[in-house]
Amino acid sequence: MLDLTDGSRDRWSSVRASIDLSGVPTSEAAARNGSFCRELFRLFDRLEEDFNRLGSAERARCGLDGVAFEVFLKIDLEKRIIVLDKLFKYVDLDFHLFTELLEILQNHFPGWDLAVPALQGYELAREIRRFLGVPEVECVFLKGDTEERLLLGEALQVVSFEGILEDTQRHYEEQGGVEKKKQELGRGRELSMYWQGAEGEEEVLWMQVKISLSR
């Protein structure tokens, strides 16, 4: 595991990251992993440079310990799957973190699967659909007015990824739009997703999705 949470604070004070590589790599895989890490570190260098150009007011809006970016990945060399545990940008920076990370992953792990075990944010969900397509939904945890429920297996037939995004868009349009809600929430808060079903409107607390990294 490459735990960059504390050990690299001098180099990347604005980045909190953890890269977990599991499985026994071949010599070819080891070379690829080294190339992947070097490219990822160059991305972190760019993030740090852009962060240092921000004004003090914007930098003050960062998360805990002044962290502006969080990247947590698990890479299973045997199952050929990359798990995105967390990806978040706290500051108002014209830098698309997901698309930059996605390009690196596709360069080094083409044809592998990308899994997001606890997808919460509406914006990340939209970017996944935009750049990769519609992912497979493996389970959804919903919260209604009176109860919370987990949908998996046959129960998932009543929901869809596209339907959730459509219902979420409608939800925010009725409240004045996405940008207005982002301003109300402030930095470091995910935009929730919603599902309109037989039980009425329910908040999507999280959902587990998977999709191929193929271009």
Side-chain angles (χ1 to χ4, degrees), residues 185-204:
L185 291 175
R187 297 291 185 273
R189 296 289 300 277
E190 301 273 12
L191 283 175
S192 296
M193 290 180 281
Y194 294 87
W195 167 253
Q196 183 74 39
E199 305 293 329
E201 185 178 77
E202 297 174 274
E203 182 181 0
V204 178

Side-chain angles (χ1 to χ4, degrees), residues 52-98:
N52 289 334
R53 296 190 185 100
L54 293 175
S56 57
E58 184 63 30
R59 294 172 67 172
R61 296 171 178 170
C62 291
L64 186 65
D65 299 326
V67 170
F69 314 97
E70 291 187 301
V71 182
F72 288 77
L73 294 172
K74 294 178 182 176
I75 301 174
D76 192 318
L77 303 174
E78 295 180 0
K79 296 181 179 178
R80 296 171 59 86
I81 187 169
I82 298 171
V83 178
L84 180 58
D85 277 333
K86 189 168 187 179
L87 184 72
F88 202 78
K89 180 177 71 173
Y90 291 89
V91 294
D92 188 10
L93 189 65
D94 187 19
F95 191 99
H96 296 282
L97 185 55
F98 177 74

Side-chain angles (χ1 to χ4, degrees), residues 98-99 102 106 126-133 214-215:
F98 177 74
T99 58
L102 178 61
Q106 289 178 322
R126 288 193 301 178
E127 289 190 331
I128 290 174
R129 180 183 63 178
R130 178 183 176 188
F131 294 105
L132 292 174
S214 298
R215 296 183 185 274

